[in-house]
PDB file of all heavy atoms in Angstrom:
ATOM      1  N   GLU A  26     158.025 130.433  77.688  1.00 98.00           N
ATOM      2  CA  GLU A  26     156.801 129.683  77.554  1.00 98.00           C
ATOM      3  C   GLU A  26     155.599 130.523  77.375  1.00 98.00           C
ATOM      4  O   GLU A  26     154.682 130.236  76.583  1.00 98.00           O
ATOM      5  CB  GLU A  26     156.596 128.803  78.796  1.00 98.00           C
ATOM      6  CG  GLU A  26     157.596 127.623  78.968  1.00 98.00           C
ATOM      7  CD  GLU A  26     159.026 128.138  79.304  1.00 98.00           C
ATOM      8  OE1 GLU A  26     159.138 129.239  79.902  1.00 98.00           O
ATOM      9  OE2 GLU A  26     159.983 127.375  79.072  1.00 98.00           O
ATOM     10  N   GLU A  27     155.610 131.699  78.009  1.00 98.00           N
ATOM     11  CA  GLU A  27     154.455 132.661  77.863  1.00 98.00           C
ATOM     12  C   GLU A  27     154.518 133.277  76.466  1.00 98.00           C
ATOM     13  O   GLU A  27     153.461 133.596  75.898  1.00 98.00           O
ATOM     14  CB  GLU A  27     154.547 133.763  78.934  1.00 98.00           C
ATOM     15  CG  GLU A  27     154.162 133.199  80.323  1.00 98.00           C
ATOM     16  CD  GLU A  27     154.462 134.191  81.423  1.00 98.00           C
ATOM     17  OE1 GLU A  27     155.412 135.020  81.328  1.00 98.00           O
ATOM     18  OE2 GLU A  27     153.717 134.119  82.432  1.00 98.00           O
ATOM     19  N   LEU A  28     155.694 133.513  75.928  1.00 98.00           N
ATOM     20  CA  LEU A  28     155.766 133.997  74.522  1.00 98.00           C
ATOM     21  C   LEU A  28     155.157 132.997  73.579  1.00 98.00           C
ATOM     22  O   LEU A  28     154.379 133.342  72.691  1.00 98.00           O
ATOM     23  CB  LEU A  28     157.245 134.242  74.170  1.00 98.00           C
ATOM     24  CG  LEU A  28     157.957 135.462  74.765  1.00 98.00           C
ATOM     25  CD1 LEU A  28     159.441 135.437  74.310  1.00 98.00           C
ATOM     26  CD2 LEU A  28     157.292 136.746  74.418  1.00 98.00           C
ATOM     27  N   HIS A  29     155.482 131.712  73.731  1.00 98.00           N
ATOM     28  CA  HIS A  29     154.941 130.680  72.865  1.00 98.00           C
ATOM     29  C   HIS A  29     153.438 130.595  73.043  1.00 98.00           C
ATOM     30  O   HIS A  29     152.725 130.470  72.021  1.00 98.00           O
ATOM     31  CB  HIS A  29     155.607 129.352  73.184  1.00 98.00           C
ATOM     32  CG  HIS A  29     157.041 129.270  72.861  1.00 98.00           C
ATOM     33  ND1 HIS A  29     157.817 128.137  73.071  1.00 98.00           N
ATOM     34  CD2 HIS A  29     157.871 130.151  72.257  1.00 98.00           C
ATOM     35  CE1 HIS A  29     159.068 128.364  72.650  1.00 98.00           C
ATOM     36  NE2 HIS A  29     159.099 129.589  72.125  1.00 98.00           N
ATOM     37  N   ASP A  30     152.977 130.648  74.251  1.00 98.00           N
ATOM     38  CA  ASP A  30     151.528 130.545  74.521  1.00 98.00           C
ATOM     39  C   ASP A  30     150.790 131.689  73.888  1.00 98.00           C
ATOM     40  O   ASP A  30     149.726 131.538  73.257  1.00 98.00           O
ATOM     41  CB  ASP A  30     151.307 130.470  76.024  1.00 98.00           C
ATOM     42  CG  ASP A  30     149.830 130.404  76.370  1.00 98.00           C
ATOM     43  OD1 ASP A  30     149.100 129.602  75.697  1.00 98.00           O
ATOM     44  OD2 ASP A  30     149.366 131.087  77.334  1.00 98.00           O
ATOM     45  N   PHE A  31     151.330 132.873  74.018  1.00 98.00           N
ATOM     46  CA  PHE A  31     150.669 134.062  73.425  1.00 98.00           C
ATOM     47  C   PHE A  31     150.656 133.907  71.906  1.00 98.00           C
ATOM     48  O   PHE A  31     149.621 134.277  71.312  1.00 98.00           O
ATOM     49  CB  PHE A  31     151.559 135.360  73.818  1.00 98.00           C
ATOM     50  CG  PHE A  31     150.892 136.646  73.433  1.00 98.00           C
ATOM     51  CD1 PHE A  31     150.109 137.297  74.346  1.00 98.00           C
ATOM     52  CD2 PHE A  31     151.055 137.176  72.131  1.00 98.00           C
ATOM     53  CE1 PHE A  31     149.501 138.532  74.028  1.00 98.00           C
ATOM     54  CE2 PHE A  31     150.479 138.431  71.811  1.00 98.00           C
ATOM     55  CZ  PHE A  31     149.659 139.077  72.772  1.00 98.00           C
ATOM     56  N   GLY A  32     151.733 133.439  71.299  1.00 98.00           N
ATOM     57  CA  GLY A  32     151.716 133.277  69.846  1.00 98.00           C
ATOM     58  C   GLY A  32     150.654 132.315  69.378  1.00 98.00           C
ATOM     59  O   GLY A  32     149.878 132.557  68.496  1.00 98.00           O
ATOM     60  N   ARG A  33     150.660 131.155  70.025  1.00 98.00           N
ATOM     61  CA  ARG A  33     149.726 130.067  69.604  1.00 98.00           C
ATOM     62  C   ARG A  33     148.249 130.395  69.904  1.00 98.00           C
ATOM     63  O   ARG A  33     147.344 130.423  69.062  1.00 98.00           O
ATOM     64  CB  ARG A  33     150.106 128.751  70.202  1.00 98.00           C
ATOM     65  CG  ARG A  33     151.436 128.174  69.721  1.00 98.00           C
ATOM     66  CD  ARG A  33     151.540 126.720  70.155  1.00 98.00           C
ATOM     67  NE  ARG A  33     152.900 126.161  69.775  1.00 98.00           N
ATOM     68  CZ  ARG A  33     153.850 126.110  70.636  1.00 98.00           C
ATOM     69  NH1 ARG A  33     153.754 126.567  71.890  1.00 98.00           N
ATOM     70  NH2 ARG A  33     155.034 125.636  70.224  1.00 98.00           N
ATOM     71  N   ARG A  34     148.043 130.760  71.205  1.00 97.00           N
ATOM     72  CA  ARG A  34     146.673 130.871  71.682  1.00 97.00           C
ATOM     73  C   ARG A  34     146.009 132.187  71.313  1.00 97.00           C
ATOM     74  O   ARG A  34     144.827 132.273  71.005  1.00 97.00           O
ATOM     75  CB  ARG A  34     146.664 130.602  73.184  1.00 97.00           C
ATOM     76  CG  ARG A  34     145.255 130.658  73.814  1.00 97.00           C
ATOM     77  CD  ARG A  34     145.288 130.092  75.224  1.00 97.00           C
ATOM     78  NE  ARG A  34     146.257 130.847  76.043  1.00 97.00           N
ATOM     79  CZ  ARG A  34     145.909 131.922  76.735  1.00 97.00           C
ATOM     80  NH1 ARG A  34     144.657 132.353  76.715  1.00 97.00           N
ATOM     81  NH2 ARG A  34     146.770 132.549  77.516  1.00 97.00           N
ATOM     82  N   ILE A  35     146.777 133.325  71.381  1.00 97.00           N
ATOM     83  CA  ILE A  35     146.212 134.611  71.228  1.00 97.00           C
ATOM     84  C   ILE A  35     146.314 135.096  69.787  1.00 97.00           C
ATOM     85  O   ILE A  35     145.372 135.655  69.280  1.00 97.00           O
ATOM     86  CB  ILE A  35     146.896 135.660  72.109  1.00 97.00           C
ATOM     87  CG1 ILE A  35     146.907 135.197  73.623  1.00 97.00           C
ATOM     88  CG2 ILE A  35     146.274 137.044  71.989  1.00 97.00           C
ATOM     89  CD1 ILE A  35     145.531 134.955  74.180  1.00 97.00           C
ATOM     90  N   CYS A  36     147.443 134.720  69.130  1.00 97.00           N
ATOM     91  CA  CYS A  36     147.630 135.278  67.735  1.00 97.00           C
ATOM     92  C   CYS A  36     147.516 134.170  66.659  1.00 97.00           C
ATOM     93  O   CYS A  36     147.643 134.545  65.472  1.00 97.00           O
ATOM     94  CB  CYS A  36     149.036 135.925  67.644  1.00 97.00           C
ATOM     95  SG  CYS A  36     149.121 137.399  68.723  1.00 97.00           S
ATOM     96  N   GLY A  37     147.336 132.945  67.075  1.00 97.00           N
ATOM     97  CA  GLY A  37     147.195 131.894  66.020  1.00 97.00           C
ATOM     98  C   GLY A  37     148.429 131.602  65.263  1.00 97.00           C
ATOM     99  O   GLY A  37     148.363 131.169  64.099  1.00 97.00           O
ATOM    100  N   VAL A  38     149.645 131.796  65.859  1.00 97.00           N
ATOM    101  CA  VAL A  38     150.853 131.564  65.184  1.00 97.00           C
ATOM    102  C   VAL A  38     151.301 130.114  65.435  1.00 97.00           C
ATOM    103  O   VAL A  38     151.455 129.675  66.612  1.00 97.00           O
ATOM    104  CB  VAL A  38     151.961 132.479  65.730  1.00 97.00           C
ATOM    105  CG1 VAL A  38     153.332 132.224  65.057  1.00 97.00           C
ATOM    106  CG2 VAL A  38     151.598 133.936  65.413  1.00 97.00           C
ATOM    107  N   SER A  39     151.484 129.368  64.421  1.00 97.00           N
ATOM    108  CA  SER A  39     151.696 127.902  64.584  1.00 97.00           C
ATOM    109  C   SER A  39     153.124 127.588  65.125  1.00 97.00           C
ATOM    110  O   SER A  39     153.307 126.594  65.785  1.00 97.00           O
ATOM    111  CB  SER A  39     151.440 127.147  63.299  1.00 97.00           C
ATOM    112  OG  SER A  39     152.291 127.649  62.258  1.00 97.00           O
ATOM    113  N   GLN A  40     154.088 128.429  64.706  1.00 97.00           N
ATOM    114  CA  GLN A  40     155.469 128.187  65.103  1.00 97.00           C
ATOM    115  C   GLN A  40     156.105 129.438  65.745  1.00 97.00           C
ATOM    116  O   GLN A  40     156.991 130.069  65.150  1.00 97.00           O
ATOM    117  CB  GLN A  40     156.326 127.733  63.854  1.00 97.00           C
ATOM    118  CG  GLN A  40     155.851 126.425  63.358  1.00 97.00           C
ATOM    119  CD  GLN A  40     156.689 125.924  62.152  1.00 97.00           C
ATOM    120  OE1 GLN A  40     156.871 126.648  61.141  1.00 97.00           O
ATOM    121  NE2 GLN A  40     157.308 124.722  62.230  1.00 97.00           N
ATOM    122  N   PRO A  41     155.674 129.808  66.900  1.00 98.00           N
ATOM    123  CA  PRO A  41     156.212 131.023  67.565  1.00 98.00           C
ATOM    124  C   PRO A  41     157.668 130.905  67.809  1.00 98.00           C
ATOM    125  O   PRO A  41     158.364 131.958  67.772  1.00 98.00           O
ATOM    126  CB  PRO A  41     155.403 131.135  68.852  1.00 98.00           C
ATOM    127  CG  PRO A  41     154.886 129.700  69.087  1.00 98.00           C
ATOM    128  CD  PRO A  41     154.641 129.141  67.754  1.00 98.00           C
ATOM    129  N   ALA A  42     158.231 129.733  68.054  1.00 98.00           N
ATOM    130  CA  ALA A  42     159.693 129.610  68.325  1.00 98.00           C
ATOM    131  C   ALA A  42     160.499 130.023  67.107  1.00 98.00           C
ATOM    132  O   ALA A  42     161.574 130.614  67.258  1.00 98.00           O
ATOM    133  CB  ALA A  42     160.029 128.166  68.722  1.00 98.00           C
ATOM    134  N   GLN A  43     159.967 129.767  65.974  1.00 98.00           N
ATOM    135  CA  GLN A  43     160.689 130.127  64.721  1.00 98.00           C
ATOM    136  C   GLN A  43     160.738 131.652  64.546  1.00 98.00           C
ATOM    137  O   GLN A  43     161.772 132.159  64.192  1.00 98.00           O
ATOM    138  CB  GLN A  43     159.963 129.546  63.489  1.00 98.00           C
ATOM    139  CG  GLN A  43     160.726 129.762  62.178  1.00 98.00           C
ATOM    140  CD  GLN A  43     160.045 129.013  61.053  1.00 98.00           C
ATOM    141  OE1 GLN A  43     159.490 127.934  61.188  1.00 98.00           O
ATOM    142  NE2 GLN A  43     160.148 129.606  59.854  1.00 98.00           N
ATOM    143  N   VAL A  44     159.629 132.337  64.965  1.00 98.00           N
ATOM    144  CA  VAL A  44     159.620 133.811  64.947  1.00 98.00           C
ATOM    145  C   VAL A  44     160.705 134.362  65.892  1.00 98.00           C
ATOM    146  O   VAL A  44     161.466 135.215  65.573  1.00 98.00           O
ATOM    147  CB  VAL A  44     158.216 134.332  65.305  1.00 98.00           C
ATOM    148  CG1 VAL A  44     158.276 135.846  65.432  1.00 98.00           C
ATOM    149  CG2 VAL A  44     157.216 133.894  64.278  1.00 98.00           C
ATOM    150  N   ILE A  45     160.794 133.752  67.083  1.00 98.00           N
ATOM    151  CA  ILE A  45     161.735 134.203  68.069  1.00 98.00           C
ATOM    152  C   ILE A  45     163.148 133.997  67.579  1.00 98.00           C
ATOM    153  O   ILE A  45     164.044 134.831  67.740  1.00 98.00           O
ATOM    154  CB  ILE A  45     161.481 133.445  69.415  1.00 98.00           C
ATOM    155  CG1 ILE A  45     160.078 133.904  69.960  1.00 98.00           C
ATOM    156  CG2 ILE A  45     162.560 133.770  70.402  1.00 98.00           C
ATOM    157  CD1 ILE A  45     159.596 133.034  71.117  1.00 98.00           C
ATOM    158  N   ASP A  46     163.417 132.792  66.978  1.00 98.00           N
ATOM    159  CA  ASP A  46     164.739 132.515  66.468  1.00 98.00           C
ATOM    160  C   ASP A  46     165.153 133.493  65.393  1.00 98.00           C
ATOM    161  O   ASP A  46     166.297 133.990  65.360  1.00 98.00           O
ATOM    162  CB  ASP A  46     164.755 131.118  65.899  1.00 98.00           C
ATOM    163  CG  ASP A  46     164.737 130.058  66.954  1.00 98.00           C
ATOM    164  OD1 ASP A  46     164.853 130.369  68.139  1.00 98.00           O
ATOM    165  OD2 ASP A  46     164.562 128.828  66.611  1.00 98.00           O
ATOM    166  N   THR A  47     164.237 133.842  64.480  1.00 98.00           N
ATOM    167  CA  THR A  47     164.569 134.757  63.430  1.00 98.00           C
ATOM    168  C   THR A  47     164.876 136.154  63.977  1.00 98.00           C
ATOM    169  O   THR A  47     165.869 136.836  63.557  1.00 98.00           O
ATOM    170  CB  THR A  47     163.368 134.894  62.459  1.00 98.00           C
ATOM    171  OG1 THR A  47     163.102 133.645  61.852  1.00 98.00           O
ATOM    172  CG2 THR A  47     163.620 135.926  61.338  1.00 98.00           C
ATOM    173  N   ILE A  48     164.147 136.625  64.992  1.00 98.00           N
ATOM    174  CA  ILE A  48     164.434 137.902  65.612  1.00 98.00           C
ATOM    175  C   ILE A  48     165.737 137.893  66.316  1.00 98.00           C
ATOM    176  O   ILE A  48     166.531 138.818  66.214  1.00 98.00           O
ATOM    177  CB  ILE A  48     163.295 138.279  66.599  1.00 98.00           C
ATOM    178  CG1 ILE A  48     162.017 138.576  65.800  1.00 98.00           C
ATOM    179  CG2 ILE A  48     163.714 139.485  67.366  1.00 98.00           C
ATOM    180  CD1 ILE A  48     160.792 138.738  66.650  1.00 98.00           C
ATOM    181  N   ALA A  49     166.051 136.792  67.069  1.00 98.00           N
ATOM    182  CA  ALA A  49     167.346 136.711  67.764  1.00 98.00           C
ATOM    183  C   ALA A  49     168.528 136.792  66.809  1.00 98.00           C
ATOM    184  O   ALA A  49     169.523 137.461  67.087  1.00 98.00           O
ATOM    185  CB  ALA A  49     167.312 135.457  68.577  1.00 98.00           C
ATOM    186  N   GLN A  50     168.438 136.010  65.704  1.00 98.00           N
ATOM    187  CA  GLN A  50     169.507 136.079  64.705  1.00 98.00           C
ATOM    188  C   GLN A  50     169.682 137.478  64.151  1.00 98.00           C
ATOM    189  O   GLN A  50     170.798 137.936  63.976  1.00 98.00           O
ATOM    190  CB  GLN A  50     169.202 135.136  63.574  1.00 98.00           C
ATOM    191  CG  GLN A  50     169.204 133.629  63.980  1.00 98.00           C
ATOM    192  CD  GLN A  50     168.761 132.721  62.904  1.00 98.00           C
ATOM    193  OE1 GLN A  50     168.589 133.111  61.770  1.00 98.00           O
ATOM    194  NE2 GLN A  50     168.442 131.477  63.310  1.00 98.00           N
ATOM    195  N   ALA A  51     168.579 138.194  63.856  1.00 98.00           N
ATOM    196  CA  ALA A  51     168.645 139.525  63.305  1.00 98.00           C
ATOM    197  C   ALA A  51     169.311 140.481  64.372  1.00 98.00           C
ATOM    198  O   ALA A  51     170.060 141.404  63.992  1.00 98.00           O
ATOM    199  CB  ALA A  51     167.277 140.014  62.950  1.00 98.00           C
ATOM    200  N   MET A  52     168.948 140.306  65.622  1.00 98.00           N
ATOM    201  CA  MET A  52     169.519 141.156  66.698  1.00 98.00           C
ATOM    202  C   MET A  52     171.019 140.961  66.807  1.00 98.00           C
ATOM    203  O   MET A  52     171.777 141.930  66.875  1.00 98.00           O
ATOM    204  CB  MET A  52     168.837 140.849  68.002  1.00 98.00           C
ATOM    205  CG  MET A  52     167.404 141.285  68.081  1.00 98.00           C
ATOM    206  SD  MET A  52     166.494 140.564  69.506  1.00 98.00           S
ATOM    207  CE  MET A  52     167.379 141.349  70.921  1.00 98.00           C
ATOM    208  N   GLN A  53     171.419 139.694  66.708  1.00 98.00           N
ATOM    209  CA  GLN A  53     172.889 139.423  66.810  1.00 98.00           C
ATOM    210  C   GLN A  53     173.636 139.979  65.626  1.00 98.00           C
ATOM    211  O   GLN A  53     174.675 140.608  65.818  1.00 98.00           O
ATOM    212  CB  GLN A  53     173.088 137.911  66.893  1.00 98.00           C
ATOM    213  CG  GLN A  53     174.543 137.479  67.090  1.00 98.00           C
ATOM    214  CD  GLN A  53     175.122 137.944  68.415  1.00 98.00           C
ATOM    215  OE1 GLN A  53     174.506 137.764  69.431  1.00 98.00           O
ATOM    216  NE2 GLN A  53     176.288 138.595  68.314  1.00 98.00           N
TER     217      GLN A  53
END
């Protein structure tokens, strides 16, 4: 939840969950 909040409120990222998903897939 803090990752999502940081993305939206601090960095203006509309879909932070999508960024996280992309990174997780790349890590795997």
Side-chain angles (χ1 to χ4, degrees):
E26 292 72 23
E27 287 171 332
L28 289 177
H29 291 178
D30 180 41
F31 189 93
R33 292 194 186 95
R34 184 167 57 87
I35 307 301
C36 296
V38 177
S39 59
Q40 295 182 306
Q43 184 174 330
V44 173
I45 295 169
D46 288 351
T47 299
I48 293 173
Q50 291 171 15
M52 291 167 65
Q53 185 61 51

